[in-house]
């Protein structure tokens, strides 16, 4: 599911290109997605460092803010695995596939926005 800013209407949850719910806040929209066992899809692009794009290195953003990164380990004993990190909150991990790394960032960021991992 995607979450988008709907200008004067608040925040919309979008599925298959159609708005399915509208909320007053971003937190409410993210909570709606998490409550359905889903994650918010982020915008993914190649990571650019000093004008260059390293191989197998991607950055995630939401509303133009950088929120996470995934990269494939190319050398050493864990070569072939994917490292992921969510910048806000510091969640991170190592997984076998790129899809798992993407999911790791998207779930961690969705949970961070809603405060799901904060002590109560």
């Amino acid at each position: 599911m995607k979450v988008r800013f709907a200008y004067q209407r608040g925040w919309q949850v979008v599925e298959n290109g159609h708005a399915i719910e509208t909320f007053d806040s971003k937190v409410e929209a993210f909570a709606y997605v998490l409550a359905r066992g889903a994650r918010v899809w982020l915008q993914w692009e190649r990571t650019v460092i000093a004008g260059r794009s390293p191989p197998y290195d991607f950055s995630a953003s939401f509303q133009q803010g950088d929120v996470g990164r995934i990269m494939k380990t190319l050398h050493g004993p864990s070569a072939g695995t994917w490292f992921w990190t969510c910048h806000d909150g510091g969640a991170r991990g190592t997984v076998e596939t790129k899809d798992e790394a993407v999911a790791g960032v998207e779930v961690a960021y969705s949970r961070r926005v809603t405060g799901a991992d904060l002590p109560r």
Side-chain angles (χ1 to χ4, degrees):
M1 295 179 167
K2 292 184 179 183
V3 172
R4 69 181 179 200
F5 184 62
Y7 304 102
Q8 296 178 353
R9 293 177 286 176
W11 294 85
Q12 291 179 329
V13 174
V14 179
E15 188 171 36
N16 299 322
H18 301 290
I20 56 174
E21 288 286 339
T22 302
F23 299 91
D24 291 333
S25 74
K26 174 176 139 181
V27 173
E28 291 172 313
F30 272 70
Y32 176 87
V33 172
L34 281 178
R36 273 134 197 84
R39 66 182 192 261
V40 173
W41 290 1
L42 301 173
Q43 178 70 38
W44 289 92
E45 297 177 344
R46 295 286 306 269
T47 302
V48 178
I49 301 171
R52 304 183 88 192
S53 295
Y56 307 105
D57 193 330
F58 303 88
S59 297
S61 62
F62 181 79
Q63 296 288 306
Q64 301 166 342
D66 188 27
V67 299
R69 185 173 172 191
I70 65 171
M71 62 190 96
K72 187 174 187 178
T73 304
L74 300 177
H75 307 286
S78 34
T81 61
W82 286 82
F83 171 77
W84 65 268
T85 184
C86 181
H87 302 317
D88 186 12
R92 62 185 164 276
T94 301
V95 292
E96 295 297 318
T97 69
K98 180 182 176 185
D99 288 343
E100 289 174 301
V102 167
V105 173
E106 290 178 343
V107 168
Y109 183 68
S110 296
R111 293 181 59 82
R112 187 66 178 174
V113 167
T114 63
D117 295 327
L118 297 177
R120 301 199 186 262

